[in-house]
Amino acid sequence: MQTGHVATPFGRRSMSLALVKSQMAIEDPRAGARVEKWKVFRDVCEARAHFGFQDRALAVLDALLTFYPHSELDSSHGLVVFPSNAQLSVRAHGITESTLRRQLAALVDAGLILRRDSPNGKRYAHRNRDGNVEQAYGFDLTPLLARAAEVAHIAQDVAAERIRFRRAKEALTICRRDVRKLISAAVEEGAAGNWMQAEEAYAGIVGRLPRYPDREHLESALDEMQLLRQEVVNMLEVQLKSENMHGNDSQNDRHIQNSNTESNNEFEPSSEEEQGGNSAGEPQAKCEPIARPKVIPEPIKAFPLGMVLRVCPQIADYGTGGRIENWRELMKAAIVVRSMLGVSPSAYEEACSAMGPENAAVAMGCILERSSFITSAGGYLRDLTRRAERGEFSLGPMLMALMKANGDVNLRTA
């Protein structure tokens, strides 16, 4: 550690202990050390975020290096440059003097250059008879030479961190896309599963991301999103396996029917006597009924969104920004309404399974419109769910009743 680098500024610029510490931390370059000045500059540019530099600071450093006459920084040639502010401003792309002073101070505070102020604060050099510089006052570039290896390592770390950030961001983008499209496909095709809960989890993960996330934020969100994607895939896998089982049962049923055609004809009675028995009083053999898979009615299709919003205008108040523009926003608003009306998550999940997510959201909108006349919204929804499972419920009459109550009798559903 050398104390020869410690220098106080001229004029009104104050000295601080932090500045003393930064100057004392600069070690003298080893004997014969030299480094290509533009390589150091590129490393500083790469490590800009580490030093907290603006683009203007890099422009000023670039201008300072242009005043150094050699391509390599070498202490044997002297490392002090002494341009005036006017000359620096021109080579720094015409920045104002106030900006120039701020950026020079930033470079000094970062420990990349030192001030070598003359007694009167001017920048100049004393030369010998041969014209060589003996003593110069201006900006000392020694820290760039002394810290070249350190700056290079910082630049490598910054570049590696940027790569990790980019890869985490790309992975999160792909995972978000997968989850978003899988949930949308499941909802649109009426797949069984708690898709409302998956939608809430997805919105929660995305909502926790700050506007300008760092790598830690991205990796944390990526871990959560990957877990959610796995849960969504598992739910879809269960659904697809269930469909395959039903499909196999149906095929087996058709195969049994086809293979027993002759047997059915043989046992089928052809007259009233045969129905009562043969002449010997022996009963005829009867064909056992073939077990058939239970037929589950398909969920009713959702009505046009515009009509639903006209019939159930109150639910729009619970949408994002007080409005609803698509089915996804309607389903999100229905979750809010469900909580507000005290309907349990299990009751709403059962309604989604029986009616379909869109129709369950419409039912919540209808219940909201009639909430002042319904004692228990949860019990009412469970009753609608049981009727829907029996194939005894349709949203049409409920919507028509609300239309009449609202005086909108001319509204058509097609």
Side-chain angles (χ1 to χ4, degrees):
M1 185 177 295
Q2 300 292 327
T3 58
H5 291 301
V6 177
T8 58
F10 169 80
R12 291 178 295 177
R13 290 194 300 270
S14 60
M15 189 66 181
S16 65
L17 294 181
L19 186 58
V20 174
K21 181 179 179 181
S22 64
Q23 292 181 3
M24 293 178 65
I26 299 172
E27 298 181 356
D28 284 330
R30 66 182 184 276
R34 60 180 62 186
V35 65
E36 207 276 314
K37 64 180 182 181
W38 297 119
K39 179 183 182 302
V40 178
F41 177 72
R42 287 192 295 271
D43 289 339
V44 173
C45 292
E46 189 73 47
R48 179 183 66 175
H50 173 83
F51 293 110
F53 286 158
Q54 298 178 354
D55 295 340
R56 298 287 181 88
L58 298 177
V60 172
L61 181 59
D62 175 79
L64 284 173
L65 290 174
T66 62
F67 285 101
Y68 187 75
H70 307 285
S71 61
E72 292 182 330
L73 297 176
D74 187 349
S75 57
S76 64
H77 294 152
L79 292 171
V80 178
V81 293
F82 39 91
S84 66
N85 283 354
Q87 292 172 320
L88 269 178
S89 178
V90 170
R91 295 200 187 183
H93 312 294
I95 63 177
T96 63
E97 185 170 346
S98 60
T99 302
L100 177 65
R101 292 180 185 278
R102 286 197 304 272
Q103 304 311 325
L104 285 171
L107 292 171
V108 172
D109 292 340
L112 295 182
I113 63 174
L114 291 172
R115 294 184 186 272
R116 297 296 184 191
D117 288 346
S118 66
N120 61 4
K122 301 295 183 180
R123 298 171 201 148
Y124 57 86
H126 293 298
R127 299 178 184 272
N128 58 22
R129 292 182 179 183
D130 297 329
N132 297 324
V133 175
E134 292 183 338
Q135 179 69 46
Y137 298 100
F139 297 103
D140 191 349
L141 304 179
T142 298
L144 285 177
L145 177 59
R147 300 181 63 187
E150 176 193 351
V151 173
H153 284 111
I154 294 173
Q156 291 174 2
D157 291 341
V158 170
E161 177 66 20
R162 184 167 59 248
I163 292 174
R164 290 194 293 268
F165 176 86
R166 184 172 66 248
R167 289 178 178 172
K169 185 176 181 180
E170 290 173 352
L172 179 59
T173 299
I174 293 173
C175 196
R176 284 182 60 179
R177 181 184 66 198
D178 292 345
V179 174
R180 176 69 279 154
K181 291 196 173 184
L182 288 173
I183 293 177
S184 298
V187 171
E188 290 171 1
E189 298 185 21
N194 193 351
W195 303 114
M196 294 301 99
Q197 183 178 354
E199 181 74 29
E200 287 181 332
Y202 173 85
I205 296 172
V206 175
R208 285 192 294 273
L209 276 174
R211 185 171 183 179
Y212 300 104
D214 56 22
R215 180 174 57 86
E216 287 74 14
H217 288 129
L218 292 178
E219 290 179 345
S220 176
L222 176 61
D223 291 340
E224 295 183 67
M225 194 67 72
Q226 286 175 336
L227 289 174
L228 178 59
R229 178 174 60 183
Q230 188 60 47
E231 291 179 7
V232 170
V233 171
N234 290 342
M235 285 192 289
L236 289 175
E237 185 178 4
V238 171
Q239 171 72 11
L240 292 176
K241 286 182 178 179
S242 176
E243 290 180 357
N244 290 336
M245 292 177 61
H246 285 302
N248 292 336
D249 290 343
S250 299
Q251 292 176 5
N252 294 336
D253 180 49
R254 288 194 297 270
H255 178 71
I256 293 172
Q257 291 180 12
N258 293 336
S259 62
N260 288 306
T261 302
E262 295 180 359
S263 176
N264 290 341
N265 292 336
E266 179 181 351
F267 291 134
E268 183 178 359
S270 57
S271 66
E272 292 181 0
E273 292 181 357
E274 291 176 345
Q275 294 177 7
N278 56 17
S279 57
E282 297 180 357
Q284 287 283 344
K286 295 184 180 179
C287 177
E288 294 292 335
I290 299 174
R292 301 179 183 273
K294 181 181 180 180
V295 179
I296 301 177
E298 295 184 359
I300 54 178
K301 300 299 181 182
F303 289 83
L305 179 62
M307 185 202 76
V308 172
L309 295 178
R310 289 174 61 187
V311 176
C312 308
Q314 293 185 47
I315 198 170
D317 297 335
Y318 300 88
T320 303
R323 60 181 181 178
I324 294 174
E325 297 182 350
N326 51 56
W327 281 103
R328 188 174 295 109
E329 292 182 359
L330 177 65
M331 289 186 286
K332 289 183 180 180
I335 294 174
V336 178
V337 171
R338 188 268 309 162
S339 177
M340 187 268 294
L341 293 179
V343 178
S344 66
S346 60
Y348 189 65
E349 181 180 351
E350 292 172 2
C352 290
S353 299
M355 306 178 191
E358 296 92 341
N359 293 294
V362 175
M364 286 306 307
C366 294
I367 293 174
L368 177 63
E369 292 294 323
R370 304 293 292 173
S371 59
S372 58
F373 303 97
I374 298 174
T375 304
S376 172
Y380 188 76
L381 182 63
R382 288 187 185 276
D383 180 65
L384 296 182
T385 300
R386 288 191 292 268
R387 290 166 56 191
E389 290 173 344
R390 297 193 300 266
E392 301 173 355
F393 170 70
S394 174
L395 280 173
M398 179 180 287
L399 291 172
M400 289 300 298
L402 283 175
M403 284 188 226
K404 294 178 180 179
N406 296 338
D408 195 1
V409 295
N410 295 322
L411 187 64
R412 292 186 175 90
T413 60

